[in-house]
Amino acid sequence: VPYRFELISGERTRIDNILKRRGFYYFQPDYIIAKVDSSKGNHKVDLSIEIKPTTSQIARKIYYVRDVHVKSDYGEIIVADSMKNKSSEVEFNGIKIEDKTGSYRPSIFSQAIGFRRGVRYSSAVQDISLSRLINLNNNFKFVRNTFQLVPRSDSALLDIYYYLTPLKAKSLGLELLATTKSNNFTGTSVSVSWNNKNMFGGAELLKISAGVGFDYQVGGISTALGAVSNKTLKLVASVTIPRFVVPFFKTNPITNQALPKTNIGLEYELNNRSGLYDITSTKASMGYVWKQNNFYEHSFTPISINLVKVSNVSEEFADNIIRTGNFVAYEQLRQNTLIMSSSYTVNYTPSNRRNDRSLFLFTGGVEVAGNLASLLSKIGKQEVGAQTIFGVSIAQYARFDAEFKYSFSLTKSMKLANRLILGYGLPYGNSFMLPLTKQYTSGGNNSIRAFAARSIGPGSFLSDNTINSQLLGTQAGDIKLELNTELRLKFNKYINGAFFIDAGNVWTQQYTDTYKEAGVFGSDFYKQVAIGTGIGLRLDFSVLVLRFDLATPVRKPYLPEGDRWVLKNFNLKDSGWRSENLILNIAVGYPF
């Protein structure tokens, strides 16, 4: 190995980190000396690592914890002897807590802090404890701590003090949004939210929000049935509890950087489609999120119940659907659906090591619906050939998802970023396709950018662009394949550029009246892949990235098989070609 000063310096820091994890609190990298003997000749040296003889006995000792103190309502400036008067402290599970306002239950500090009386000091436990307190649903503005050596001539004991500066628990927010989408929908929305970060004294985060929105398709179709528009009303309530609420889940104070969370949610959404029909979704769920270590995060939702109802269907619209022969869409309009599912997701996010030019990320999950509902399906009136609960049809399916991301830095100012999405849904029993809310779609500013949102597929299906297809949420499927690659160029601190290629499509599992054979996944699926390319401009303001991507189709899967490669028709001078083939995507953040 070539002699390198920075390598030797880094080795001193590595050894210091190991020693601090093993209890040597007062040790420093400067106490390590590297001796180099260059008398060997032949351009070689002998290298030895030693502890300096002048290193004090204090630095050579392994230290143990005597007392752990927590002050939960401290100001922004620490006074040296602020906690000498400990008469107001309450001891809980080995931790002495001062909470004069009585805002917090002592158990949350016991769960967050890994130190206890008599345990050996470890910098790893210290880092994890601080991380947990900082991320305790953002209850504290500042988290500081000090270590004090117990005053005794031969002492190897430390007292640990945590000083916490709380934020205001309650807040009220107002959000106004104006949006424009690649499918020509433009609209606005307003929402009001109320948060309580310490609802029950255990750092539980309660969120309640209400919002309304309106989207209108500018330049879209308009028929005797009306113009295409969407009006939405959404009510959401959720509680995030920084611990498991079931006894068989436990957290490891040594390896878990963040406390586990229990998420309970209620949601109601009403969507009015151009005054022709209403879709309401009522959802309740309970799940858990926890970190296995710095790399893996798990999410498990044992129960999610979602009731989707269609109502107020106009007779004229229903008659129009029947005349066009879209019987699947007609069944969707007349049948309510109950989705009772369980799901599991894992995220792999490795630490970005210094001088590491590549980064790999993975997200995978599985969702199964209908098993528990099937057991309950005997309740209430039954329809012939269908499983129902209180007369509502249950959805039955299994869905598997995987997303891979890989990036490689070619130079300091040039990076190649890639993403692969695989989605597979298997409907069975009651379900002929995945429910509308679970189907896959393709196209849009975070997908295949050369096509408008939901305008690709399934397979080689060509939409008739009628108001029926616009309003019923068609062009969706049970299977999805998508690949994106992007060459990102950094021009300066604020301006970045990109050249990208996107490819993919969605497919159905079975033949349907809507998509017919064109939408079914088969052995020739690769002939139905849509491809687009383009260039991008990104304005990076650190806290906000404003993205502009101009894209054009390379391959249109809905054209006759010999005419699908369309880049040969590229003609910027032709206004008709530009209006049909140039898509400008405006978005916030990177596409992946």
Side-chain angles (χ1 to χ4, degrees):
V1 178
Y3 174 87
R4 292 168 55 193
F5 174 77
E6 61 270 20
L7 183 62
I8 297 174
S9 179
E11 189 68 8
R12 293 203 314 171
T13 301
R14 188 185 69 85
I15 294 173
D16 175 66
N17 290 335
I18 293 175
L19 292 175
K20 280 190 167 61
R21 288 198 294 270
R22 297 182 178 179
F24 293 88
Y25 174 74
Y26 286 102
F27 198 85
Q28 299 293 332
D30 289 341
Y31 298 153
I32 300 174
I33 185 171
K35 292 184 177 181
V36 180
D37 182 2
S38 60
S39 63
K40 295 296 180 180
N42 196 24
H43 303 288
K44 294 184 178 180
V45 298
D46 283 343
L47 180 67
S48 63
I49 304 294
E50 301 176 6
I51 305 298
K52 290 181 180 179
T54 57
T55 301
S56 67
Q57 288 300 313
I58 292 178
R60 294 173 182 264
K61 287 182 180 180
I62 294 177
Y63 286 85
Y64 292 82
V65 176
R66 187 182 72 168
D67 291 324
V68 180
H69 303 269
V70 175
K71 185 174 177 63
S72 65
D73 57 349
Y74 203 77
E76 298 184 6
I77 300 176
I78 295 179
V79 180
D81 60 348
S82 63
M83 297 188 69
K84 286 188 176 179
N85 182 12
K86 305 180 180 65
S87 58
S88 59
E89 289 184 338
V90 175
E91 185 167 347
F92 180 85
N93 198 15
I95 298 178
K96 298 179 178 180
I97 302 163
E98 181 184 335
D99 183 12
K100 292 181 180 179
T101 62
S103 300
Y104 301 97
R105 293 202 304 269
S107 59
I108 68 169
F109 304 114
S110 172
Q111 294 163 357
I113 297 172
F115 288 117
R116 294 295 185 271
R117 185 181 182 92
V119 303
R120 186 177 65 184
Y121 167 81
S122 169
S123 62
V125 176
Q126 167 64 355
D127 292 343
I128 289 172
S129 300
L130 286 175
S131 175
R132 288 178 174 181
L133 289 169
I134 291 170
N135 293 292
L136 203 58
N137 282 336
N138 294 319
N139 264 260
F140 302 108
K141 182 179 181 181
F142 298 114
V143 176
R144 300 184 178 95
N145 84 299
T146 61
F147 291 81
Q148 292 184 11
L149 180 64
V150 175
R152 200 174 68 191
S153 59
D154 61 341
S155 176
L157 298 176
L158 297 171
D159 284 341
I160 307 176
Y161 297 86
Y162 290 93
Y163 303 89
L164 313 178
T165 303
L167 285 164
K168 290 184 178 180
K170 300 175 183 178
S171 61
L172 184 67
L174 175 67
E175 185 177 70
L176 296 171
L177 290 177
T179 59
T180 180
K181 304 175 183 178
S182 58
N183 58 355
N184 295 324
F185 272 91
T186 299
T188 184
S189 64
V190 57
S191 62
V192 179
S193 62
W194 181 81
N195 298 341
N196 188 332
K197 299 177 182 177
N198 189 33
M199 184 63 188
F200 306 111
E204 299 92 351
L205 174 60
L206 171 67
K207 289 184 176 181
I208 299 176
S209 65
V212 294
F214 178 79
D215 289 326
Y216 186 82
Q217 191 173 23
V218 178
I221 59 173
S222 178
T223 72
L225 293 176
V228 180
S229 64
N230 293 314
K231 300 173 186 175
T232 58
L233 167 66
K234 193 170 186 178
L235 305 174
V236 179
S238 65
V239 176
T240 300
I241 305 170
R243 57 191 169 277
F244 290 129
V245 297
V246 288
F248 52 83
F249 277 124
K250 294 187 180 299
T251 179
N252 189 328
I254 304 301
T255 60
N256 296 120
Q257 279 283 347
L259 287 172
K261 295 180 180 179
T262 300
N263 297 317
I264 302 172
L266 293 172
E267 183 177 315
Y268 173 82
E269 184 173 358
L270 168 64
N271 197 318
N272 176 273
R273 301 288 178 89
S274 292
L276 301 177
Y277 66 93
D278 295 336
I279 295 180
T280 60
S281 172
T282 306
K283 184 177 181 180
S285 63
M286 179 177 179
Y288 308 99
V289 178
W290 72 98
K291 279 196 171 185
Q292 175 183 340
N293 49 39
N294 290 341
F295 303 136
Y296 291 96
E297 181 178 70
H298 304 268
S299 174
F300 174 53
T301 303
I303 184 65
S304 174
I305 303 174
N306 187 12
L307 175 61
V308 180
K309 299 180 67 177
V310 180
S311 60
N312 301 326
V313 181
S314 74
E315 293 184 5
E316 187 178 4
F317 185 53
D319 291 342
N320 188 273
I321 294 174
I322 294 173
R323 283 197 302 270
T324 59
N326 196 342
F327 299 110
V328 172
Y330 180 72
E331 286 299 313
Q332 291 174 340
L333 283 180
R334 63 181 293 270
Q335 189 175 60
N336 301 325
T337 304
L338 179 66
I339 305 171
M340 189 176 293
S341 65
S342 301
S343 62
Y344 167 77
T345 302
V346 60
N347 291 301
Y348 172 71
T349 309
S351 301
N352 197 0
R353 294 176 294 181
R354 189 178 181 182
N355 299 325
D356 195 348
R357 299 171 63 185
S358 63
L359 179 64
F360 173 78
L361 307 173
F362 169 76
T363 300
V366 58
E367 180 181 15
V368 178
N371 293 338
L372 177 60
S374 181
L375 295 176
L376 302 174
S377 63
K378 294 183 179 180
I379 300 175
K381 183 181 179 181
Q382 293 296 297
E383 294 183 15
V384 178
Q387 289 183 302
T388 64
I389 296 179
F390 298 115
V392 179
S393 176
I394 63 173
Q396 295 177 291
Y397 64 88
R399 174 173 152 157
F400 306 89
D401 295 277
E403 181 176 354
F404 305 86
K405 296 180 183 179
Y406 176 77
S407 62
F408 183 81
S409 296
L410 302 171
T411 66
K412 288 184 178 180
S413 59
M414 186 182 299
K415 177 188 291 187
L416 185 64
N418 306 276
R419 178 180 66 176
L420 173 64
I421 297 177
L422 301 174
Y424 182 83
L426 180 63
Y428 63 91
N430 272 12
S431 299
F432 194 70
M433 293 182 66
L434 292 180
L436 283 174
T437 56
K438 300 296 182 179
Q439 289 178 352
Y440 298 103
T441 62
S442 193
N445 55 35
N446 290 320
S447 180
I448 303 177
R449 286 160 280 186
F451 298 83
R454 302 182 67 100
S455 66
I456 302 174
S460 58
F461 172 76
L462 175 61
S463 172
D464 57 12
N465 203 35
T466 64
I467 194 168
N468 292 348
S469 63
Q470 294 285 339
L471 289 172
L472 289 169
T474 54
Q475 296 196 248
D478 307 314
I479 300 171
K480 181 172 182 176
L481 171 64
E482 185 170 309
L483 176 64
N484 314 91
T485 185
E486 189 169 276
L487 182 63
R488 296 173 180 172
L489 308 171
K490 189 175 183 67
F491 299 135
N492 56 46
K493 183 178 180 180
Y494 301 105
I495 302 176
N496 300 329
F499 171 75
F500 57 85
I501 300 175
D502 305 318
N505 206 331
V506 296
W507 292 267
T508 61
Q509 284 276 9
Q510 305 177 63
Y511 176 93
T512 66
D513 291 334
T514 304
Y515 307 123
K516 304 189 182 330
E517 290 290 348
V520 181
F521 184 85
S523 58
D524 61 346
F525 74 93
Y526 59 92
K527 298 179 181 180
Q528 300 170 336
V529 171
I531 302 176
T533 186
I535 56 176
L537 176 67
R538 289 85 193 272
L539 305 180
D540 190 345
F541 303 107
S542 296
V543 296
L544 174 70
V545 176
L546 188 59
R547 173 165 57 94
F548 302 89
D549 288 332
L550 183 64
T552 185
V554 173
R555 197 170 192 274
K556 296 180 179 180
Y558 45 79
L559 294 180
E561 195 165 325
D563 300 327
R564 291 175 181 175
W565 293 98
V566 296
L567 196 60
K568 59 186 177 182
N569 302 323
F570 188 88
N571 187 0
L572 282 176
K573 296 180 180 180
D574 185 352
S575 60
W577 181 92
R578 292 197 305 269
S579 63
E580 182 181 347
N581 293 280
L582 286 185
I583 301 289
L584 177 62
N585 299 271
I586 303 175
V588 174
Y590 288 97
F592 56 89

